[in-house]
Amino acid sequence: MLSINRFSSRRHKLDEVFLNEKLRNAKSYKRIAGYFRSSIFELVGESIENIPEVKIVCNSELDTADIAVAKYAREVALKEKWNQVSPEVEALLYRERYKKLFTLLTRGNIEIRVVPKDKIFIHGKAGVIELQDGSKTCFLGSINESKSAFANNYEILWEDPSPEGVSWVEEEFDALWEEGFPLPESIIEEIERISHRIEVKLQNIADMKLPASALAEAPIYRSGEQLQPWQRSFVTTFLEHRDVYGKARLLLADEVGLGKTLSLGTAGLVSALLDDGPVLILCPATLTIQWQTELLDKLGIPSAVWLTNKKVWLDSYGHEIKTRGAEDIVNCPMQIAIVSTGLIFHDSEEKKHLLSRKYGTIILDEAHRARRRGGLGAREKEPNNLLHFMYEIAPRTRHLLLGTATPIQTEVYELWDLLAILNKGAEFVLGKTPFSIWSKCEDALPIIKGEHIPQEEKKAWELLKNPLPPAREHSVFSRIRSLLQIADDKFFSDKGFSSLDYPIRQVISETLDHNFFKQNNPIVRHTVFRRRKTIEEAGMLDRIAVTIHPTSEALPGTYTGVHFVDGLGLMTNHPFNLAYEAAELFSQSLRKRKKSAGFMKTLFLQRICSSFAAGRLTAQRMLNREAFEDEENTEKIISEVENLTYEEKNYLVNIIKELSRTEARDPKLDAVKYFLTEYKTDGK
């Protein structure tokens, strides 16, 4: 019987007395390793490159659920684990190791598999080496094929050349191998990237190449994901407008779910890197932390959120940064500040300070909230606080980006209101008012829709000269600029039509076409709009197959976890009924003293029916006369609940009490939980 050989790093140089020596003449090598890292072949690279067959099985951060879902999920999970190590340090210290590793992995003789972490955690390390003469030996021990394992650590290793020992290790290896999945190509590509990584200075990068350079090691890319083509396209458009106009004025109106936050955030990142100035992001209070989290988790950008109630800044890691008070809203400790639009609706002290400084980029999310008061039929109504504020702050920023999936909510003129924001301080958008035809919705809309076509050159010239588009947008604009010697950075002409000579009039006549102004107008120029369906049909986005529940055609008993009545109505419970009754009684009592109690009733009942939490919070704020974050009519609400009677206060207290009971289960919330966690479609 062949004897076991024992090795200790205390007694021997393990690489010299065992591993390299055995592998030098091997024809196959099977290895049970730990995590796959760049050091895995550090010592044995030269030894294994000529071995015909090398198989290695490693740990991974995969879940079995990830594997069941899709190959893409496996690659993202593995790459995220791989990239927990700093690429800066790896490239600086181990560039040659990465080059060597990439060469080995692409030779074709090495195959690596990774095992899901919830299947098994590989801690024991072993291997089987088959020599040229067909004999085999196996080994067990704590060592990896890294320099530290052999040179610095205390390691032990047992070699067992017996057929029984070899058979036992091979059986273990084969079992783990069957559980594993191939190492993704994306990790091999990342190894190559780090092996060629170089650092560059911003001033050495062309503006159009800056996004790719800045995002090469952003978390979204290092985790195996990436910005989608239409998101990259928006950033390109931002840079083009910055180059052509000297400032960017864009309305991003992509449909819901296409990632407007990342598009806008990346543009903000690029503008900050180009030293255009501080970035201010305005969004509803409920989205401030979401913005901050996405900027950090996807783009690696630190930012600070202004906490209205505490008058402090909150950094990306949850640390509160103290201030002197409201005036320090203009002294953000980060280059990117995130502020709630609720401050604007409330006409707060911070609002005045925000208007006191200048910015490099301002981003307004949910821009449709900047509108005229009153909704339907409100064409002659005054701008609400947010719209008025945006008119004031727009001239104080170089770049202005508006994001909304619903630029038109009830009336087409709402789109013009948003474009009017962009036009403030940048009249190349709609032109110089009041002389620009484009600035008036009622005049411009028929032209843009193709319902009204200019019949003569004089009318077309009025549309062309104010504003005059960039030369590269169309050959007509290029020739007009050339003939009139208008510089590329000028976007207006003060020449009357009668002063134009024949060659220019001939060029202008080319615009008397049904499609010209439909295709060349401020809406098209400064609005970016992509439909999900279009992107899916182009093959850039997978269609999401959904099954909608509940359905009115469902048989009785289909949804055993939710109580439906009268079709798709949800069964309420006793605490809700009592709270709803108290809300109606509160409104009736208020009507005796206030003319606008009907508005309060609508608001209150909508919020109670929205969710128990919303109803409870509304009653609490009314009772305490607290401001409603991001509520346009917050001052009106506070005024209505001033000097509440004892009866009215008692109704509010009852609402809070009933909706806070343990048995006050929200039927809508229960239904959502049921369909997400319990109900199965086709057994899944």
Side-chain angles (χ1 to χ4, degrees):
M1 179 178 176
L2 298 173
S3 62
I4 291 176
N5 300 312
R6 302 173 180 86
F7 301 91
S8 162
S9 59
R10 186 173 62 84
R11 302 171 184 267
H12 314 93
K13 289 186 176 181
L14 297 183
D15 56 324
E16 294 180 5
V17 300
F18 178 71
L19 197 55
N20 279 337
E21 179 65 30
K22 294 290 184 182
L23 292 176
R24 192 170 293 120
N25 298 310
K27 68 177 183 181
S28 74
Y29 178 37
K30 296 179 179 178
R31 183 76 160 98
I32 301 171
Y35 279 111
F36 177 75
R37 300 301 324 161
S38 66
S39 59
I40 193 164
F41 302 135
E42 191 173 27
L43 287 179
V44 300
E46 292 81 359
S47 301
I48 69 170
E49 65 183 11
N50 295 316
I51 300 176
E53 182 184 64
V54 178
K55 291 184 175 181
I56 300 173
V57 62
C58 308
N59 281 314
S60 77
E61 282 299 289
L62 290 175
D63 287 319
T64 306
D66 292 330
I67 292 167
V69 171
K71 174 177 177 287
Y72 174 74
R74 299 200 298 270
E75 298 209 357
V76 169
L78 279 169
K79 192 170 182 182
E80 190 170 14
K81 175 65 180 178
W82 169 265
N83 278 319
Q84 286 179 356
V85 178
S86 166
E88 297 89 344
V89 174
E90 293 290 289
L92 178 64
L93 299 179
Y94 309 121
R95 189 185 310 278
E96 292 306 314
R97 176 203 288 175
Y98 276 82
K99 289 180 180 178
K100 183 177 177 180
L101 178 57
F102 176 72
T103 300
L104 289 170
L105 290 175
T106 54
R107 288 180 66 88
N109 64 320
I110 299 174
E111 187 177 357
I112 296 176
R113 288 193 179 186
V114 289
V115 179
K117 64 181 180 182
D118 57 346
K119 275 275 188 180
I120 193 167
F121 180 79
I122 301 175
H123 192 270
K125 309 204 174 41
V128 175
I129 301 171
E130 183 179 3
L131 304 178
Q132 291 295 335
D133 61 5
S135 63
K136 296 181 179 180
T137 187
C138 70
F139 63 92
L140 297 89
S142 55
I143 58 170
N144 287 313
E145 283 95 326
S146 66
K147 187 174 182 179
S148 60
F150 284 89
N152 302 324
N153 302 345
Y154 171 73
E155 305 285 357
I156 56 175
L157 181 148
W158 285 30
E159 179 193 11
D160 184 357
S162 69
E164 296 84 2
V166 169
S167 176
W168 184 77
V169 173
E170 283 190 320
E171 184 180 340
E172 293 298 311
F173 175 87
D174 291 342
L176 294 172
W177 188 258
E178 288 301 312
E179 297 283 1
F181 290 82
L183 188 71
E185 285 294 323
S186 60
I187 289 185
I188 298 175
E189 292 169 1
E190 184 72 0
I191 291 168
E192 182 185 25
R193 187 186 72 81
I194 293 178
S195 73
H196 295 300
R197 184 185 186 276
I198 58 172
E199 292 190 8
V200 294
K201 294 183 178 180
L202 289 177
Q203 55 265 37
N204 297 331
I205 306 173
D207 291 353
M208 295 302 292
K209 292 185 177 180
L210 180 60
S213 300
L215 295 174
E217 287 170 357
I220 187 173
Y221 282 86
R222 298 193 68 214
S223 67
E225 301 178 81
Q226 61 179 352
L227 288 183
Q228 297 297 332
W230 57 92
Q231 294 172 320
R232 298 196 297 271
S233 174
F234 177 77
V235 179
T236 299
T237 301
F238 168 79
L239 286 171
E240 288 174 345
H241 279 237
R242 181 182 182 273
D243 177 55
V244 172
Y245 298 106
K247 55 178 70 174
R249 288 290 199 276
L250 293 168
L251 169 62
L252 179 58
D254 286 353
E255 286 188 336
V256 173
L258 295 182
K260 289 186 290 296
T261 301
L262 277 181
S263 298
L264 294 166
T266 304
L269 166 64
V270 170
S271 73
L273 290 175
L274 289 169
D275 203 24
D276 290 341
V279 178
L280 173 64
I281 297 173
L282 299 168
C283 63
T286 52
L287 299 180
T288 54
I289 300 301
Q290 179 180 319
W291 258 95
Q292 184 180 54
T293 301
E294 195 153 350
L295 288 176
L296 186 66
D297 289 354
K298 299 294 186 182
L299 303 178
I301 309 174
S303 60
V305 172
W306 179 259
L307 298 183
T308 308
N309 55 338
K310 294 184 177 182
K311 307 296 188 224
V312 298
W313 288 104
L314 183 74
D315 73 12
S316 300
Y317 302 98
H319 304 131
E320 292 185 3
I321 302 171
K322 292 183 178 180
T323 68
R324 296 169 297 173
E327 66 267 31
D328 274 342
I329 196 170
V330 296
N331 296 318
C332 180
M334 305 291 178
Q335 186 76 350
I336 298 178
I338 303 173
V339 173
S340 164
T341 47
L343 290 172
I344 316 304
F345 282 124
H346 301 163
D347 204 18
S348 62
E349 183 182 350
E350 286 97 323
K351 172 183 171 182
K352 302 180 182 67
H353 292 295
L354 287 172
L355 291 170
S356 70
R357 71 165 303 174
K358 293 189 175 182
Y359 305 88
T361 302
I362 292 179
I363 297 171
L364 175 63
D365 195 12
E366 301 289 308
H368 57 270
R369 297 171 67 88
R371 56 189 308 212
R372 305 184 201 185
R373 300 180 191 273
L376 286 168
R379 194 163 189 164
E380 302 303 325
K381 297 292 184 179
E382 290 294 315
N384 67 11
N385 286 352
L386 182 57
L387 181 56
H388 182 73
F389 173 82
M390 293 306 299
Y391 286 155
E392 288 187 288
I393 204 169
R396 307 190 66 80
T397 183
R398 179 173 177 181
H399 311 303
L400 181 57
L401 308 176
L402 308 180
T404 173
T406 53
I408 299 173
Q409 290 196 299
T410 56
E411 300 284 352
V412 177
Y413 72 79
E414 292 172 337
L415 174 59
W416 260 259
D417 287 342
L418 296 180
L419 290 171
I421 296 174
L422 299 180
N423 199 58
K424 297 292 183 180
E427 292 181 315
F428 56 78
V429 177
L430 289 175
K432 295 179 179 179
T433 56
F435 309 107
S436 170
I437 297 173
W438 297 116
S439 66
K440 305 177 185 69
C441 174
E442 59 273 16
D443 295 336
L445 186 60
I447 299 171
I448 291 171
K449 293 170 67 177
E451 297 173 350
H452 175 72
I453 304 167
Q455 299 298 310
E456 53 186 27
E457 288 90 346
K458 182 178 181 179
K459 180 68 173 180
W461 177 239
E462 294 300 316
L463 294 169
L464 290 168
K465 72 174 187 176
N466 183 21
L468 179 62
R472 67 182 184 181
E473 189 170 303
H474 197 283
S475 63
V476 165
F477 309 136
S478 175
R479 283 179 282 156
I480 288 174
R481 285 178 174 276
S482 177
L483 290 167
L484 293 179
Q485 296 184 326
I486 298 175
D488 290 342
D489 60 349
K490 305 299 179 184
F491 302 98
F492 306 94
S493 173
D494 55 3
K495 287 185 175 292
F497 182 75
S498 59
S499 67
L500 302 179
D501 55 22
Y502 179 75
I504 296 178
R505 294 190 182 194
Q506 281 294 100
V507 175
I508 294 172
S509 68
E510 295 179 29
T511 68
L512 305 180
D513 174 82
H514 179 74
N515 288 318
F516 186 86
F517 287 109
K518 283 179 67 176
Q519 297 171 351
N520 298 277
N521 60 71
I523 305 294
V524 173
R525 199 171 297 129
H526 295 281
T527 301
V528 178
F529 170 53
R530 278 77 59 103
R531 294 183 182 275
R532 184 181 184 95
K533 182 179 179 182
T534 304
I535 293 174
E536 289 176 346
E537 290 174 348
M540 291 187 289
L541 189 64
D542 291 336
R543 286 182 171 86
I544 299 176
V546 296
T547 303
I548 298 174
H549 294 289
T551 66
S552 55
E553 294 80 18
L555 297 173
T558 302
Y559 308 117
T560 56
V562 184
H563 300 291
F564 289 108
V565 293
D566 298 329
L568 297 181
L570 286 167
M571 176 76 76
T572 61
N573 50 41
H574 189 55
F576 172 83
N577 296 336
L578 292 177
Y580 194 90
E581 181 183 357
E584 290 191 312
L585 292 172
F586 168 81
S587 302
Q588 292 173 14
S589 178
L590 195 63
R591 187 180 296 119
K592 299 173 185 176
R593 302 186 302 110
K594 302 284 184 176
K595 292 182 179 180
S596 57
F599 158 76
M600 294 292 288
K601 177 180 178 180
T602 301
L603 172 80
F604 211 161
L605 296 183
Q606 279 180 343
R607 287 175 177 251
I608 285 181
C609 292
S610 171
S611 71
F612 282 21
R616 186 170 59 247
L617 184 60
T618 300
Q620 189 70 59
R621 284 180 171 167
M622 285 183 175
L623 193 61
N624 298 337
R625 298 191 68 249
E626 294 175 353
F628 286 71
E629 257 330 321
D630 296 313
E631 171 58 56
E632 180 179 344
N633 297 301
T634 187
E635 290 91 352
K636 182 178 180 181
I637 297 171
I638 293 176
S639 173
E640 290 297 305
V641 295
E642 189 174 13
N643 301 319
L644 291 174
T645 66
Y646 173 81
E647 181 183 45
E648 290 160 355
K649 289 181 179 178
N650 195 46
Y651 288 137
L652 293 177
V653 169
N654 284 340
I655 292 169
I656 296 168
K657 182 179 69 175
E658 294 300 335
L659 295 181
S660 299
R661 293 183 184 277
T662 305
E663 61 270 28
R665 299 183 61 190
D666 190 329
K668 288 172 69 175
L669 181 60
D670 282 352
V672 170
K673 287 181 178 179
Y674 168 74
F675 286 114
L676 287 177
T677 62
E678 295 182 42
Y679 186 77
K680 292 184 178 181
T681 303
D682 298 329
K684 294 182 290 186

